[in-house]
Amino acid sequence: MCFTAAQSENGGVTPTRIKLDRGRGALGPALELVHTGRAPTRAVLTTELGVTRATAGAVATELQALGLITVDPRPHAASGAQGRPSHRLDIAADGPVVLAAQVHADGYRVALVGLGGRIVATAPACMTVDADPARIIGDAVAAGAELLRTTGRRCLGAGLAVPSAVAEPEGTALNPLHVAWPAGAPVHDIFRDCLTEAGVGVPGRCGNDVNLAALAEHRHGAGQGSHHLLCVATGHRGVGGALVLDGRLHTGSAGLALEVGHLIVDPAGRACHCGARGCLDVETDPLALLET
């Protein structure tokens, strides 16, 4: 960034250093604004960050130098807009990616996803789930590692969505009822080890599939621009819930908030995998609807 830093004779920090710190501190928030589509121009970025036009311009220039965004060199004005035209901002098409994997009742899916939520590459879907979580997660990571080798893209992180409540901070799958995994499987540790073994040297995080779907909808889908989002979803099996409050996923004290699938809606209803009867999980999931 085009800032300078200097110290006064008594060792104090000069105003130029303060400007440097403020500018660099804006890099993350600025990238998030462009990443989620909330700052399509440099003028909007200036307003959203609450900084001067010069600082916003320097932040955009550094993000471009890092290969994360593009800045249109020619200012454009929206149709009917008043005031000075602004430079358009967009995500760099050849920027870094993350490895995203999802395990579900009928197999797994793997993709490389870039900034802006753009899918860069996908691997062929797997249609079976091994009873050993280490084997299926290892296969998914191996497929992702092959995508990285094929595309040559820089990977910054990896995420794994699983069909189970995931306890925090342990990262264990408490009740993987729709896959034949043991209760309490250490999916976070398994995922981390598989990334290391596959030579994908990035940090990895695991989470419940509906929690992660809610975050995606809030940032890039139906909930974009909203402060709060309630998500109740059903996929291959079961029903799950998630809640985003003020832009942050609400998981409760141990990561188990909004596990709505085992709310009993019909005490005399279908037998559930959890041992109860009439849970939302088995009364309204795709299998139940097909059997109705």
Side-chain angles (χ1 to χ4, degrees):
M1 189 175 296
C2 301
F3 294 141
T4 58
Q7 286 188 318
S8 63
E9 292 181 357
N10 60 6
V13 179
T14 67
T16 52
R17 181 55 183 271
I18 294 173
K19 189 176 182 182
L20 172 72
D21 291 341
R22 286 179 180 172
R24 286 185 175 163
L27 286 175
L31 181 59
E32 182 177 353
L33 288 167
V34 182
H35 166 62
T36 55
R38 289 152 52 204
T41 67
R42 206 168 73 181
V44 176
L45 182 68
T46 302
T47 302
E48 290 291 330
L49 290 177
V51 298
T52 65
R53 288 172 53 195
T55 298
V59 167
T61 298
E62 179 145 342
L63 289 175
Q64 184 177 36
L66 292 170
L68 300 175
I69 72 170
T70 60
V71 181
D72 193 324
R74 296 163 300 180
H76 293 276
S79 178
Q82 296 181 351
R84 180 181 298 182
S86 184
H87 300 271
R88 293 201 61 81
L89 308 178
D90 201 358
I91 294 301
D94 57 352
V97 298
V98 296
L99 190 163
Q102 178 191 11
V103 176
H104 50 73
D106 300 318
Y108 67 73
R109 299 182 66 188
V110 179
L112 301 183
V113 183
L115 289 165
R118 298 173 180 173
I119 297 178
V120 173
T122 60
C126 168
M127 304 303 292
T128 59
V129 178
D130 196 279
D132 179 3
R135 181 169 297 177
I136 186 83
I137 293 173
D139 288 348
V141 170
E146 181 60 28
L147 287 179
L148 289 171
R149 283 190 289 271
T150 301
T151 62
R153 300 297 281 266
R154 179 165 58 106
C155 185
L156 299 183
L160 172 68
V162 296
S164 168
V166 177
E168 297 175 353
E170 300 89 350
T172 54
L174 290 186
N175 57 342
L177 300 175
H178 301 292
V179 290
W181 296 352
V187 288
H188 174 76
D189 290 344
I190 292 172
F191 187 46
R192 179 195 59 202
D193 292 344
C194 289
L195 289 169
T196 301
E197 292 171 6
V200 184
V202 297
R205 294 292 300 274
C206 294
N208 170 260
D209 50 5
V210 180
N211 280 350
L212 299 181
L215 277 179
E217 287 292 343
H218 183 264
R219 293 176 181 175
H220 302 288
Q224 190 173 26
S226 64
H227 292 290
H228 316 303
L229 174 70
L230 172 64
C231 177
V232 179
T234 181
H236 293 252
R237 297 284 191 278
V239 177
L243 182 64
V244 177
L245 293 176
D246 288 322
R248 301 178 67 88
L249 187 66
H250 175 67
T251 59
S253 60
L256 310 179
L258 268 290
E259 284 294 318
V260 300
H262 298 286
L263 295 175
I264 296 176
V265 295
D266 182 3
R270 302 167 184 266
C272 183
H273 311 281
C274 71
R277 299 192 72 86
C279 292
L280 196 64
D281 216 43
V282 292
E283 291 294 328
T284 61
D285 82 340
L287 189 60
L289 295 176
L290 288 172
E291 293 176 348
T292 300

